[in-house]
Amino acid sequence: MPDAERGFSVYDFMSRIRYSETAADARLSLVGIMNYFQDCSTFHSEDAGVGLSFYEKEQKTWLLSSWQIVIERRPALGETVRIGTWPYGYKGIYGLRNYAMYDLQGNFLVKANSCWFLMDLKEGRPLRVTEADLAPYGKGDPKLSMDYAPRKIALPEQMEETGRFVVMRHQIDTNHHMNNAHYVDMAGEALPESGEIGEIRAEYKKAAMLGDLVVIRRGESPSGWVFSLCREDGEILANVELKRKQDEKEKTAEG
């Protein structure tokens, strides 16, 4: 990991891209990227002594509020990568965390920003994040250099329903919610065109549970597509934006 980007509180691990993690082009899938990042922060918590069993006793849990993932290059099948994460601060109820994926030469493959909140499971409400909550992860590192997007995703005026699905058992995580990556996976299934995705944004509002019916609505944005995953009554569960890679946007404009 480049020295300029790394501090002592960075947590990282090495991995080799498996066939089961790739898309049809034999490169790491979008969901594969998200899973690596989620696994990295989970490992960080476990190794810092504040993992699943700790928070189960405390009756608390960290929940994801938003993602912004910028993709330079998706690594290929068999390629060895390094995945890293570090907290860089907190604001109100939110803990702020960066992620990065590098090749063996230390080049960025993927950068990400995320906002998390600490939920009191007994009271069913978010807790204000304190320095004590972040202390086990080490001193916060500087923010990763990237073009930060707002946490909230603006919805297009015109959106149409493009599909419905029922939340299945294999999509449920240890919080008994549909895992964060599956919202993006479902949005990706509703893409109206092929092409390389250069950025993922996701804003989570309500958790989908086992057996819930989720309605996907889609609208176009200047740089790609926006999806709203809702209940039948219109209550929004999550909003997702999938942006075309820059060269793909240029090709579309020329075409």
Side-chain angles (χ1 to χ4, degrees), residues 118-159:
L118 191 58
M119 175 67 79
D120 183 328
L121 296 177
K122 290 183 290 187
E123 300 295 331
R125 58 179 177 81
L127 297 168
R128 183 170 290 274
V129 177
T130 67
E131 291 187 9
D133 295 316
L134 300 182
Y137 300 105
K139 183 180 178 181
D141 273 43
K143 290 174 65 172
L144 190 62
S145 176
M146 59 183 283
D147 186 10
Y148 287 80
R151 183 176 59 84
K152 295 186 176 181
I153 296 173
L155 298 180
E157 288 187 10
Q158 299 295 323
M159 301 188 78

Side-chain angles (χ1 to χ4, degrees), residues 90-230:
Y90 62 97
K91 184 176 182 180
I93 66 169
Y94 296 110
L96 308 174
R97 178 179 282 272
N98 281 142
Y99 297 82
M101 183 179 290
Y102 306 85
D103 64 18
L104 288 180
Q105 289 70 49
N107 300 308
F108 283 111
L109 297 172
V110 187
K111 298 180 179 182
N113 183 48
S114 62
C115 297
W116 299 76
F117 63 95
L118 191 58
M119 175 67 79
D120 183 328
L121 296 177
K122 290 183 290 187
E123 300 295 331
R125 58 179 177 81
L127 297 168
R128 183 170 290 274
V129 177
T130 67
E131 291 187 9
D133 295 316
L134 300 182
Y137 300 105
K139 183 180 178 181
D141 273 43
K143 290 174 65 172
L144 190 62
S145 176
M146 59 183 283
D147 186 10
Y148 287 80
R151 183 176 59 84
K152 295 186 176 181
I153 296 173
L155 298 180
E157 288 187 10
Q158 299 295 323
M159 301 188 78
E160 60 177 345
E161 183 179 327
T162 59
R164 298 181 172 211
F165 68 91
V166 176
V167 179
M168 309 294 284
R169 284 193 181 91
H170 73 275
Q171 297 173 312
I172 300 299
D173 61 20
T174 56
N175 292 313
H176 306 291
H177 304 159
M178 185 167 75
N179 187 265
N180 304 310
H182 286 296
Y183 294 88
V184 174
D185 193 25
M186 293 299 104
E189 290 293 330
L191 276 170
E193 60 188 31
S194 60
E196 190 71 10
I197 298 300
E199 185 173 334
I200 303 166
R201 292 177 63 207
E203 174 196 3
Y204 302 97
K205 291 179 172 288
K206 296 284 185 179
M209 314 293 280
L210 179 64
D212 282 354
L213 177 66
V214 180
V215 179
I216 305 176
R217 298 171 63 237
R218 183 185 69 208
E220 193 166 5
S221 72
S223 53
W225 298 89
V226 174
F227 304 85
S228 194
L229 287 75
C230 312

